Amino acid sequence: MTTVRALIGIAAKKNWDVFQLDVNNTFLHGDLNEEVYMQVPSGLLVENQNLVCKLNKSLYGLKQASRQWYAKLTEALCFKGYVHSMLDYSLFYKKEGKSIIFVVVNVDDVLLTRTDLEEIKALKSFLHETFKIKDLGRLHYFLGLEILYKHDGAIVTQRKFTNDLLKEFEFSHYTPMASPLDPSTKLKATEGTLLTDPTQYRKLVGKLNFLSNTRLDITYSVQHLSQCMQSPRVSHLKVAMHVLGYLKSDPGMGIFLSNNGDYRLRDFCDSDWAACPETRKSVSSYIVLLGDNPISWKSKKQSTVSLSSAEAKYRSARKVVAELVWLSKLLGELTVPLSLPIPVYCDNQAALHIAKNPVFLERTKNIEIDCHFVKDKVIEGLISLHYVHTNNQLADILTKSLTGIKHSSLLHKLEMNTSLPT
């Protein structure tokens, strides 16, 4: 989803229209490389009942159907001069002089944006002749994401998905909550009564995880709940329902993608040291902004135990630097004029000193690989490390559960907006 958010954000800044196509009978277009046989379908009369059918084309339900469809579409786009990105295989582009066309594919849904409208029309015509497509016009709804256009940008939200989720779990009449999690909540995987049917909990957390594609404000809550998927308890389900109560307070909230000319890439990274009460592993988080537009974020429990808060913060910095290596190359393909070095903001002075110190001390040996990686990128000029006060640390919302006031303050700083019902 990072590529989709980035493309929509860049299109808003460059004042490009984004168009959407839908391919009819997608998986039926793929050519099979293997020999696949099927039973004679009902209604087809054959003299010898021992015969089977050999497939020349893929069918829905075949495990290789999606792969063969992608190969067929790639062949068609390459024939027209398009190149698939080596950074994201769902992204294709064609650059000829000042003409630039971008294509994003997700199974049968296709997004197009450009500098050359005539090339867009030619591509639509070619795809319709080859596969039979439905032209859905300007982008408004894609993979559950709703795009609402404003004079100063676009709001990307999942209002319909949120309302359907509240109805499915019969939460429409419950009291709204001010924050996704109570700050005192610390879930334990083995504490409490087991749910007789864990399906409901797993289904809910899975849908909340999908919702976090636009609702970065619930990302920390989702990663917290996801750790209890194997043996969910009654207490875990109660906390998940609390998140639903928070969603009810504003089901139309989403990220705002401004159309101003600010292409600065900034990152905020943070960690919560020894946050897990059972393993004492820390939680890492980061958020990447293009101008003021959030395009990439993550909250995840670290795989190893950190011996200090500085180590936890530094491991978090290493995660985001790896993301920036990939993202800077992707934005380069998307013709974004990047200004290097990219500032990375951290609220721990000790972690910044580790990056600037050329000598590895005894206490930093256990994170030596992380140190080398981050320092290399500083020396290369890709990133620069800066201190930010805790009160201005935007990644806090992805690191820990906050009070309602602090949570609302960070949402305001991140320019999370509400879309009107459509």
Side-chain angles (χ1 to χ4, degrees):
M1 279 295 185
T2 299
T3 302
V4 174
R5 289 191 295 262
L7 187 66
I8 296 174
I10 293 166
K13 289 181 178 295
K14 292 180 178 287
N15 199 27
W16 294 346
D17 287 329
V18 183
F19 301 98
Q20 184 176 3
L21 310 176
D22 182 74
V23 183
N24 298 330
N25 302 319
T26 310
F27 289 162
L28 303 184
H29 296 291
D31 298 319
L32 290 175
N33 299 324
E34 307 90 354
E35 286 192 4
V36 180
Y37 298 90
M38 63 172 284
Q39 292 180 343
V40 176
S42 59
L44 179 62
L45 300 178
V46 294
E47 296 181 358
N48 188 345
Q49 297 297 321
N50 295 323
L51 294 177
V52 294
C53 296
K54 180 182 178 182
L55 295 180
N56 295 323
K57 294 278 190 178
S58 63
L59 290 178
Y60 283 82
L62 289 181
K63 61 182 181 181
Q64 59 267 63
S66 58
R67 182 191 66 196
Q68 297 308 118
W69 156 241
Y70 176 80
K72 189 74 173 181
L73 179 62
T74 301
E75 179 184 349
L77 289 174
C78 289
F79 176 77
K80 294 294 288 183
Y82 286 80
V83 178
H84 66 69
S85 170
M86 299 303 294
L87 302 165
D88 187 337
Y89 274 63
S90 67
L91 173 66
F92 296 80
Y93 60 86
K94 181 180 180 181
K95 299 178 182 179
E96 290 183 350
K98 295 183 179 180
S99 174
I100 305 172
I101 312 293
F102 293 105
V103 180
V104 173
V105 180
N106 186 279
V107 192
D108 60 344
D109 293 306
V110 181
L111 295 185
L112 307 174
T113 189
R114 83 308 172 241
T115 58
D116 186 350
L117 187 57
E118 292 302 317
E119 176 62 27
I120 286 283
K121 293 179 179 178
L123 180 59
K124 287 181 180 179
S125 177
F126 170 75
L127 292 176
H128 184 69
E129 292 174 3
T130 309
F131 301 116
K132 297 294 183 283
I133 63 168
K134 185 186 298 180
D135 189 350
L136 302 178
R138 194 180 186 190
L139 174 65
H140 288 284
Y141 190 85
F142 180 73
L143 301 180
L145 310 184
E146 301 168 48
I147 293 83
L148 175 67
Y149 297 99
K150 300 175 65 180
H151 69 279
D152 55 349
I155 300 175
V156 184
T157 181
Q158 291 170 278
R159 172 185 287 275
K160 182 180 183 300
F161 184 85
T162 304
N163 286 329
D164 290 345
L165 183 61
L166 293 173
K167 290 178 182 178
E168 180 180 354
F169 287 87
E170 300 177 352
F171 220 85
S172 302
H173 305 293
Y174 283 70
T175 305
M177 302 295 179
S179 62
L181 280 184
D182 189 290
S184 62
T185 300
K186 292 289 183 182
L187 296 181
K188 293 186 177 180
T190 58
E191 190 176 88
T193 307
L194 280 169
L195 289 173
T196 54
D197 182 13
T199 306
Q200 184 186 29
Y201 177 84
R202 292 167 182 164
K203 185 178 181 180
L204 174 56
V205 174
K207 292 195 171 188
L208 290 174
N209 186 41
F210 177 71
L211 190 56
S212 65
N213 284 317
T214 58
R215 296 294 298 258
L216 60 85
D217 50 328
I218 67 168
T219 301
Y220 170 74
S221 308
V222 172
Q223 75 86 18
H224 202 41
L225 293 167
S226 298
Q227 298 173 37
C228 309
M229 295 285 271
Q230 185 173 359
S231 302
R233 315 279 165 153
V234 173
S235 57
H236 303 158
L237 182 59
K238 185 178 179 181
V239 173
M241 291 298 180
H242 186 283
V243 179
L244 284 181
Y246 168 72
L247 293 175
K248 186 179 185 298
S249 65
D250 193 349
M253 182 178 289
I255 57 174
F256 176 67
L257 302 176
S258 171
N259 61 8
N260 61 34
D262 187 358
Y263 291 97
R264 292 175 302 152
L265 202 59
R266 297 178 294 148
D267 170 76
F268 293 80
C269 64
D270 196 15
S271 69
D272 188 10
W273 181 47
C276 179
E278 295 179 312
T279 64
R280 286 306 170 189
K281 292 179 180 178
S282 308
V283 173
S284 290
S285 68
Y286 65 78
I287 180 169
V288 182
L289 304 175
L290 180 62
D292 293 323
N293 303 348
I295 58 172
S296 179
W297 56 84
K298 193 168 190 176
S299 176
K300 188 176 182 179
K301 186 164 74 173
Q302 295 181 359
S303 57
T304 57
V305 177
S306 297
L307 302 181
S308 67
S309 60
E311 284 186 22
K313 301 277 185 181
Y314 204 87
R315 286 195 166 104
S316 179
R318 196 268 298 169
K319 289 284 187 184
V320 73
V321 171
E323 175 75 1
L324 289 175
V325 170
W326 172 79
L327 193 54
S328 62
K329 294 177 181 178
L330 178 69
L331 293 176
E333 286 190 346
L334 295 175
T335 68
V336 173
L338 286 180
S339 177
L340 299 180
I342 302 167
V344 177
Y345 296 96
C346 177
D347 60 2
N348 187 284
Q349 295 277 19
L352 298 179
H353 288 315
I354 292 174
K356 296 175 182 178
N357 186 2
V359 180
F360 288 98
L361 304 176
E362 189 71 25
R363 293 179 62 186
T364 59
K365 282 184 177 179
N366 57 323
I367 56 170
E368 185 174 347
I369 295 176
D370 293 336
C371 289
H372 280 302
F373 179 72
V374 175
K375 285 183 178 180
D376 284 349
K377 299 308 170 185
V378 172
I379 293 171
E380 291 173 9
L382 176 67
I383 65 163
S384 59
L385 300 174
H386 304 272
Y387 175 75
V388 64
H389 193 274
T390 302
N391 292 336
N392 297 320
Q393 175 56 276
L394 300 183
D396 245 6
I397 200 170
L398 303 167
T399 310
K400 56 183 77 73
S401 51
L402 306 170
T403 62
I405 296 175
K406 181 67 181 294
H407 187 82
S408 298
S409 174
L410 286 175
L411 289 181
H412 177 71
K413 291 178 181 179
L414 289 167
E415 298 189 13
M416 296 284 287
N417 280 12
T418 300
S419 67
L420 298 175
T422 55

